[in-house]
Amino acid sequence: MVGEFGNQEDVPAVNPANPVCHCGAHPIIGLALGFWEPARIVEVVRRPFCLPTLGGVDMSPGIPAPSHGRHTTLYGDKEVFYQAHFYANPVLYWLEVLGDYPCLEQGGLDLAYLTEVDPLWNDDELTLILNPDAVLFANPVAVAACAADCIAASLGFGLETMFWCAGCQGVLYPMDGWVSGHMGGVRSSLLLAQRLTAKMHRELVSWAYHGEKGLCGPYYQPAMDKRAYKTQMLFPVPNTDKTLGKCCQPFGRQTVLWGAGREIPASGEDFSYLLFRKKNCCAGY
């Protein structure tokens, strides 16, 4: 790591140990740099095909899709369902913030994935096609163990070894739109933002960019490393103020310090988050 600016959190364990790097496919010798790139947006919505990130436009093509719903289970838990959308958003590139910096992802804002057209998103059993390992963690012991991941994420970053946990938001499995134990829109939407990102990795739509392997380009990572992502709320109430000096929150961190007052009845029960992605790059010529 060459430098650190703004006293923001980082994951030293994933940064390459050697500051000098080289790439063979496109011959480069340079410095190994690491930074957090705002590159994706996840939105969690009640009404199918509603896009709050784009001003609330309705893009329904007439395809039937389940809407938001809530009910109480036999055990007294509140269960909710949301749809979600995944955007490619290389904002630093299309705003030309860093000019021709070669490490930035190029392109424009693009709606990459809608769960409304995904039959797995509304069915716990069908989604086992993507995550059959969920059966290993569908027990009270595995769920209770996520308390350790919650503590780790609140103090820094989540635990890579506890890949089935979503920190203080619960568990990543099943990777669909149903949330058990609903305790508010902010918590549930953050959980679904993590689930959809993990689902994109499992479907090889999203790749990893961090660590030694990411110096020369992205690589497949079917099991998402949750330490590589941070979130910042965009809608309904943009999280523009720093929390304890931090501009954004790692996956799994508790919402007590910043989440109050960010769910507005009727007009603000959909949510949109900017995803910051950890990126390592061999910058040279």
Side-chain angles (χ1 to χ4, degrees), residues 9-34:
E9 296 166 297
D10 194 20
V11 193
V14 306
N15 289 316
N18 190 347
V20 179
C21 58
H22 65 88
C23 295
H26 303 284
I28 290 175
I29 297 178
L31 292 177
L33 303 180

Side-chain angles (χ1 to χ4, degrees), residues 148-187:
D149 191 50
C150 172
I151 294 172
S154 297
L155 297 177
F157 291 84
L159 302 173
E160 182 188 14
T161 52
M162 304 186 74
F163 57 87
W164 68 93
C165 297
C168 300
Q169 283 77 58
V171 293
L172 282 178
Y173 300 135
M175 293 180 187
D176 62 19
W178 288 100
V179 178
S180 300
H182 173 70
M183 293 190 298
V186 174
R187 180 182 178 275

Side-chain angles (χ1 to χ4, degrees), residues 135-150:
V135 299
L136 300 176
F137 308 106
N139 60 78
V141 175
V143 174
C146 291
D149 191 50
C150 172

Side-chain angles (χ1 to χ4, degrees), residues 207-219:
W207 297 1
Y209 290 79
H210 62 284
E212 192 84 35
K213 293 173 62 177
L215 286 174
C216 299
Y219 57 95

